Structure formats: C-alpha cells, structure tokens
Amino acid sequence: MAMKRLSMRQIRQVLRLRLEHGLSTRAIARACSVGLGTVTEYLTRARRAGLSWPLPERLDDGALEALLYPPSAEAVHPQPLPDFVMIHKELKRRGVTLMLLWLEYLKDHPGGYQYSQFCHRYRRWARKLNPSMRQVHRAGEKAFVDFAGQKPTLVDPETGEIVEVELFIGALGASSLIYAEAVPSQELPCWIGAHVHMFEEWGGCPAILVPDNLKSGITKPCRYEPGVNRTYEEMAEHYGAVVIPARVRRPKDKPKAEVSVQVAERWILAVLRNRTFFSLGELNAAIRQCREAINDRPMQKLGVSRRQLFEELDRPAMKKLPATRYEIARWKDCKVSIDYHIELERNYYSVPYQLLHERVEARYTSSTVEIFYKSRRVASHVRLFGRGQASTCPEHMPASHRAHMEWSPSRIVAWAEKNGPATGRVIARILESRPHPEQGFRSCLGILRLAKTYEADRVEAACHRADALGAASYRTVKNILAAGLDRLPVEEETLSLNLVPEHENIRGAEYYAEKEDRC
C-alpha cells in the first residue's frame, strides 16, 4: 500500500510539531489525522534533507517538495500486508493455525513477510482490538473543551422573551480545574473567544486541546481523519498548542470533559436555576462565582481542591501566553479573477497580476486581509466593509494598466509642458475640446510619442504652429512634422496656408452669390 501523500500545509504542521514542540510520532499522527507510517516517512525525508525549524522564509511549497522528494529518490514499495481481519476470523475455526494461514498468504504473495514477521504484525494488530486503558494525564499537557448539553437562558428586557445561550466548558487533565463561560452561540467567533478568555484566566496554555467533533472546531467529523477548522488550528498555533480531537462517539477519549460538563450542570446551572438574568455579562458574573466555588472546594477522593492541584501541577508546566492576544481570523479559498482581484465578503482585493486564474488562500480579520499563494504571502490590504468596494495596489498591476491609472488631465498637461509651453497649450486645448477629457487621452498620448520619432525641439515648434493656426490635434502636428513646416517662420507659414491658388475648377464667392439670386 502506497504512503498517503499529504498536502504541503499538513507536511509543515508535521515538521513543526516534531522540530519545534518535540511531540511523539503517535501524537503527531493524531494531531494531523494521518497514519504513523506517513508521519515517520515524512520525518525521515526531512532528516535526510537536513531541515530544521523554523523553515527558511523563502522556502515555499514547491521548494519544500523538491527537498523532500528529490528527483533521484527511488520509490519505496513495502511488502503487501496480510488481511488481518480475515486472519482473525479464520483463527476462530477449529484446526486453523497461524502457520497454515502464513503458507496460504505466501501463495498469493510470494515475496511477502516471513513467518516471524507475519506473526509479530498480526499480534500487534490484535492487541489494539477494543482496548480499555485508564488515562494518565501529565501536568500542563491537555485541556478538554466542549459545550454543555443544557443551556442557560436570558430574558430579553424589552420583550420578555426567553433566549437560550451556550455554556462553554474547559477542564485541565492533571488538576481537573474547570473553566465555564456563557456565550451567545456555538459559532466560530464565540468558540475562539471562549478559548482566549480561558487561557488568560489560567495564565498559560496547555500543549494539547481535545475538543469534541462540533462544527466550530472540526470541519470534517470523521473517526479516522477529522478535519480541524483552519482558524481553530491557527489559534492553537498562536498559543503554542496543537488540536487532537476526540474520536466520534468515543467518550473515553475525553472523560475529563464529560465529568466537567456534569459538574457544571449540577453546580452552576442547577444552582442558578431560580435566578433571572437580563444580560450575558450579568450571567457570566454569576457563573464566575460558581466556578470559583467549584475549583476551591476539596475533591472527595483526593482531599485537595482543583485550585491547589492547578497551582502545584498545571500552572508551572503550562506554556506562557504570547505577548499579543490572538485576533480571530477566517480563511477562504479564492480564485483570482481576470482583473487580478479576488472577491471576499462582497468586496475585491488585488493580487499580483501574474497569479491570474490561480487558487489562493485569503486570511481576513476585522482589520486586515492577507492573501497567500502556496503558503507565501503575496498581498496585504486594509479590510473593506460594505459591498462593491475595491482595494488595488499599483504594484499588482501590469505596467500598461498602471500607466493608464496615473493619467489625469492635469498630469498629462504637466507631462506635455516638460517638452515645452506650446506642447502644453496644444494638449490643454485638445482636452478642453472634448465633452469628457478621457476622450482626448489618445490624441495627447500620440503627440507625446512623436518625441520618440522627432527631436523634442521640432515637436515643440510644430505644436507652436498648430496652436497659431487654431488647429490643435494630433493629425495637424504630425502633418506639420512630416512636411517639415516646423522649420518655417510662423508668419510665413500662416500666410502660405491662407492663400487660395487660382484654378478654373475652383468656384469663387461670386458663383454662390449668383446661385442664390437664381433661387
């Protein structure tokens, strides 16, 4: 069976958990929802490549993949694994032995495992069937988080309507210290905000967060490969923690959470059942008093309080809080449109035009929008609100678009005056003669580009003559230069242009006067 190929983001997460946090292979496998063999394979490749953490800033996804999978590396083809499920069933039959099943296995796979490895791998697999193990919680290692099944209520002071809210519960593994907070809903901002408040009250953060498979934390509730919400994962990384969700319908994975929810329902919600609250702040003040009473009360079996255990065990072992509080950020996969902008919350943000039609990731907070391509940030904008607005950075535009954006009547006249005052006057007259100045931009640009073909002095002289004739246009200036009339004095040229040559086919004013009399 071939090794599962991870995304580059998952590979970076595997390397970070080992090289920065020193987690075991099994813990990394659970945190990233991948197999042990896959984690081992990537760590081996990283060691061969000489990688260390943090990775170099310029090491994008393509360069990292090239280091992990050099062209000369040969593919590893493991031996075919036996069908352990079938073996387990066959051994229940009378007279069937591992030796017999191994011989049948070799008939189908001549190059398979030898007998000793065959038996070893089966017995290792069989030990994992329905295990029941008492969990040993290390100090500062895990925090179990969940929402209570029962919901506290508020009363709307204006309408008298009863409004249900959610009760967030967190519990540390070693000391069983409980945190409880009422939040408006189970939406992502409430879920993240409750975690931040919990860490700040504890004055530190555990190494591992163990949530249930709720939508706010887990995007793909799966027993084998749960997907952790990108924002939740980023929040945990900000505080130096990892997320290892409990398996679906496996309460033994999170006994502390189950017990803490029960304690909160009995000693918080039940205690406050006869009280009426009109605001979330008022409710949380009452919850805080109940929470402190629970943590300060001695536990029956141990004879010490949760607070005492927390101060002795968890607090010294927890990671210190970072200098800044985590600002909630959302992620969205976007496709770059033909105008090198992405659409986000009905507004538009530019990226380098070289990324047309590429898939990028947008990370947006209440104040900023960051855009990433293959894990490298390519753009940053101030967050826009409303709809239909656009934030465009000039450096993201092609040179032709950037030059056009810089055009304005005053700027074009200023450019023309650098060639000479007559050129500036002609350009100004062209812009004034149009209903909309933009209609004259092409004519003006044509005159300015004549300086690439003719000397600047000649273009200035031609504009001087066109201005004297009252014929300010690109065609007039071009014809003057082509005919060489820019070298003649202005008065002489003007007279020569006003003289009408004599010819028998040219009708004079008398002809039209006579025609008028006949009519």
Side-chain angles (χ1 to χ4, degrees), residues 31-87:
C32 299
S33 304
V34 297
L36 288 173
T38 302
V39 174
T40 302
E41 176 68 15
Y42 279 107
L43 292 178
T44 302
R45 289 180 177 272
R47 186 167 56 252
R48 290 174 183 171
L51 293 175
S52 61
W53 194 267
L55 298 175
E57 294 184 1
R58 296 184 178 180
L59 191 67
D60 59 12
D61 289 351
L64 178 58
E65 185 174 10
L67 288 175
L68 295 176
Y69 292 93
S72 59
E74 297 181 358
V76 178
H77 300 286
Q79 293 170 308
L81 286 173
D83 187 350
F84 294 129
V85 176
M86 183 274 295
I87 295 172

Side-chain angles (χ1 to χ4, degrees), residues 266-285:
R266 291 179 178 178
W267 295 100
I268 296 179
L269 297 182
V271 170
L272 301 177
R273 68 188 186 281
N274 294 323
R275 294 181 58 179
T276 301
F277 301 97
F278 297 96
S279 69
L280 203 62
E282 184 182 354
L283 173 59
N284 275 322

Side-chain angles (χ1 to χ4, degrees), residues 389-409:
Q389 302 182 65
S391 175
T392 306
C393 296
E395 58 269 21
H396 295 163
M397 306 172 70
S400 58
H401 292 196
R402 189 161 57 247
H404 182 76
M405 184 187 70
E406 294 173 351
W407 291 0
S408 66

Side-chain angles (χ1 to χ4, degrees), residues 361-397:
E361 291 181 304
R363 178 185 183 272
Y364 56 106
T365 68
S366 60
S367 57
T368 61
V369 173
E370 297 175 288
I371 304 170
F372 295 83
Y373 176 68
K374 292 185 176 181
S375 301
R376 176 178 292 179
R377 191 175 76 171
V378 295
S380 179
H381 300 267
V382 175
R383 175 82 181 273
L384 300 176
F385 294 93
R387 54 166 47 180
Q389 302 182 65
S391 175
T392 306
C393 296
E395 58 269 21
H396 295 163
M397 306 172 70

Side-chain angles (χ1 to χ4, degrees), residues 21 43 63 165 214 218 305 350 404 417 453 474 511:
H21 297 289
L43 292 178
V165 294
L214 74 166
I218 308 301
S305 68
S350 67
H404 182 76
E417 287 178 344
T453 307
Y474 164 72
Y511 168 82

Side-chain angles (χ1 to χ4, degrees), residues 310-331:
F310 170 73
E311 297 294 342
E312 294 175 6
L313 301 176
D314 282 321
R315 185 186 287 277
M318 292 174 71
K319 298 182 179 181
K320 294 183 179 180
L321 294 177
T324 58
R325 171 189 277 195
Y326 174 74
E327 182 181 11
I328 184 170
R330 295 176 181 267
W331 289 83

Side-chain angles (χ1 to χ4, degrees), residues 43 117 121 226 303 366 443:
L43 292 178
Q117 277 294 316
R121 290 177 180 274
S366 60
S443 298

